[in-house]
Amino acid sequence: MSRHSRLKNKLTYPILILVLSLSIALADGTRPKAGTTEIANYEARYTEDGQLIRPNNWREWVFVGMPVTPNALNNGKALLPEAQAVYIDPESFRYWQETGRFRDGAMFAVELTTLMSDGANKDGSTRQLTGRGFFQNEFSGLQFAIKDSKQFADEPGNWAYFSSRIGAAEREYPETMTALPTKNCNSCHQAYGSQDWVFLQLYPVLKAAKPD
């Protein structure tokens, strides 16, 4: 065998193996990986006992708004005394842009962060480079709202809500989350959500993207 033929075989065999591996992966329904991160799949997954398996990469979802409701402005009794960074999964955002509705399977992520406070002002505000105001500090919690007609057929609007809290020293959220009782979240969403149990009025990105 010539040197050229041996070199050709060395190059051909790895390529054939790669093609075969990809074919097998696609045939059994799995998806190849890009680097070390799995290709995004915007469908909620649950454990056998109904806990939500925490979706990954929610910080890469579409940011829609950030309500801020500090205790100092709510007589010390704010329902969520933090900054609330709200994201929607990209597939649901595209569906929203096309239809003005939230698809079955839509997921919202809400990441909570405490607010800086030096005690200088009664309203809890502090002064930073841009002026006096409210500024994010440490991660404190993560929430998900998921619309799933199969999993939550008996819930109002087919929405369920999940929440987890972490301390200042912790850096990772739990891998699974248990659904909150309906009464804990749904009554507020039903009373104040301006569309389909969603606080659309608080999310300027969604309002701007809604088709006419």
Side-chain angles (χ1 to χ4, degrees):
M1 182 181 293
S2 68
R3 180 181 179 186
H4 176 74
S5 298
R6 289 195 300 271
L7 179 59
K8 181 179 180 181
N9 287 337
K10 287 182 180 180
L11 294 174
T12 301
Y13 292 152
I15 293 174
L16 288 174
I17 293 172
L18 176 60
V19 171
L20 180 60
S21 299
L22 288 173
S23 298
I24 293 172
L26 293 174
D28 70 4
T30 59
R31 304 179 72 179
K33 294 182 179 181
T36 58
T37 303
E38 291 188 2
I39 294 175
N41 178 15
Y42 304 116
E43 297 296 334
R45 297 182 299 128
Y46 307 93
T47 62
E48 291 184 358
D49 60 353
Q51 294 189 78
L52 174 68
I53 299 173
R54 174 172 49 82
N56 292 321
N57 304 322
W58 70 89
R59 294 188 186 117
E60 298 175 12
W61 293 3
V62 180
F63 176 80
V64 298
M66 190 168 68
V68 181
T69 52
N71 268 331
L73 298 181
N74 292 276
N75 298 317
K77 299 178 180 180
L79 183 62
L80 291 174
E82 297 122 325
Q84 305 137 44
V86 184
Y87 307 84
I88 188 172
D89 73 89
E91 184 176 340
S92 296
F93 183 70
R94 288 191 292 269
Y95 188 87
W96 170 261
Q97 288 178 302
E98 295 171 359
T99 68
R101 300 192 304 273
F102 298 109
R103 71 181 181 98
D104 190 10
M107 295 188 288
F108 282 91
V110 183
E111 188 163 38
L112 309 175
T113 55
T114 60
L115 300 173
M116 293 181 182
S117 179
D118 54 13
N121 302 304
K122 292 183 178 180
D123 63 3
S125 63
T126 58
R127 184 170 293 280
Q128 297 296 325
L129 292 176
T130 53
R132 179 175 164 180
F134 296 96
F135 302 89
Q136 293 175 274
N137 192 19
E138 300 287 346
F139 296 122
S140 59
L142 180 64
Q143 301 179 336
F144 286 93
I146 299 177
K147 184 180 179 72
D148 190 329
S149 62
K150 294 180 180 179
Q151 189 77 8
F152 311 117
D154 298 328
E155 296 293 336
N158 301 137
W159 287 95
Y161 307 90
F162 301 81
S163 181
S164 62
R165 289 283 184 172
I166 59 173
E170 298 176 271
R171 302 193 59 83
E172 190 58 84
Y173 300 106
E175 293 185 0
T176 60
M177 305 165 68
T178 302
L180 296 170
T182 301
K183 64 179 182 180
N184 285 26
C185 295
N186 184 266
S187 58
C188 186
H189 280 262
Q190 189 167 7
Y192 298 105
S194 60
Q195 181 174 331
D196 194 8
W197 281 264
V198 175
F199 302 129
L200 182 62
Q201 68 273 24
L202 304 181
Y203 307 142
V205 174
L206 288 181
K207 288 192 293 183
K210 187 175 183 179
D212 295 331

